[in-house]
Amino acid sequence: NANRTRSVPVVFLVAMETLVLDLVYVPAAFPTADADLVFLTAEVAWLDHLRARQTASFGVPYNYSGQQYAAREMPPVIAAIGARAAALAGHPFNNCLCNRYETGANTMGFHADSYDGLEPTSRIAIASFGAARTLVFRSHDKRERGELVLAHGSLLLMTRETQRAWAHAILRDATARLRISATFRSFAPAASAS
């Protein structure tokens, strides 16, 4: 169809004073973003283990922020989001941690994602649905800072190198409404006990 718009990735390779922020941002990665948000809002069984937001995990088991998530099959909608993210990342994902930010009071403090147990060359993919929120990046030495607004239906890909040099956060935003992120990871197969 000639009237279809195509989502074009925006590659950020930002050289700050001494560090590189290596990101790929695809603004309209998910053509079914509105329906995906309805599913994520209505059909996911959210857990209240964390004070700042609700979570749910799908795929292989995952330990996060002191919480242990058992293996759980990905529903078809989440699997389809993951397949689109995989097509853009160039490799498959086997876990999805969803975060539900009900309002702008729900936050995620500065942190770097751990690559323990992940495929070393894999990317971490963040699919965003609902209200736009700003992802703030801060170098580990706290001298450099950057921001990226994550729009409804967008995808952000981050590398291991980004995690080594930068922390990121979703800070308080008094005007923000519901946002759900689906963060996909590629865990390495567990060593077999032949």
Side-chain angles (χ1 to χ4, degrees), residues 47 98 155:
L47 302 175
C98 294
L155 181 73

Side-chain angles (χ1 to χ4, degrees), residues 81-93 155 157:
I81 295 167
R84 174 71 175 138
L88 292 165
H91 62 79
F93 295 102
L155 181 73
L157 300 171

Side-chain angles (χ1 to χ4, degrees), residues 10 13 18-20 39 60 64 74 77 85 96 106 140 147 152 158 177 180-181 186:
V10 177
L13 193 57
T18 55
L19 302 172
V20 172
F39 173 85
V60 298
Y64 170 75
M74 283 191 201
V77 169
C96 176
N106 299 113
H140 289 307
E147 294 183 353
H152 174 57
M158 298 188 293
R177 294 184 175 210
I180 295 175
S181 68
S186 182

Side-chain angles (χ1 to χ4, degrees), residues 52-156:
R53 65 198 173 280
Q54 294 177 309
T55 59
S57 180
F58 303 93
V60 298
Y62 182 45
N63 296 332
Y64 170 75
S65 195
Q67 303 301 312
Q68 295 184 352
Y69 297 94
R72 189 169 160 202
E73 186 176 343
M74 283 191 201
V77 169
I78 293 175
I81 295 167
R84 174 71 175 138
L88 292 165
H91 62 79
F93 295 102
N94 57 10
N95 178 271
C96 176
L97 179 69
C98 294
N99 288 287
R100 181 179 176 136
Y101 303 84
E102 194 65 39
T103 70
N106 299 113
T107 63
M108 180 181 293
F110 277 103
H111 69 286
D113 293 331
S114 171
Y115 260 77
D116 291 346
L118 297 185
E119 292 287 354
T121 59
S122 67
R123 294 176 182 264
I124 294 174
I126 302 172
S128 294
F129 303 96
R133 292 289 293 267
T134 301
L135 188 64
V136 179
F137 291 90
R138 181 179 71 193
S139 62
H140 289 307
D141 65 8
K142 299 182 182 177
R143 292 177 30 202
E144 300 177 53
R145 202 170 168 114
E147 294 183 353
L148 179 63
V149 175
L150 302 177
H152 174 57
S154 68
L155 181 73
L156 177 66

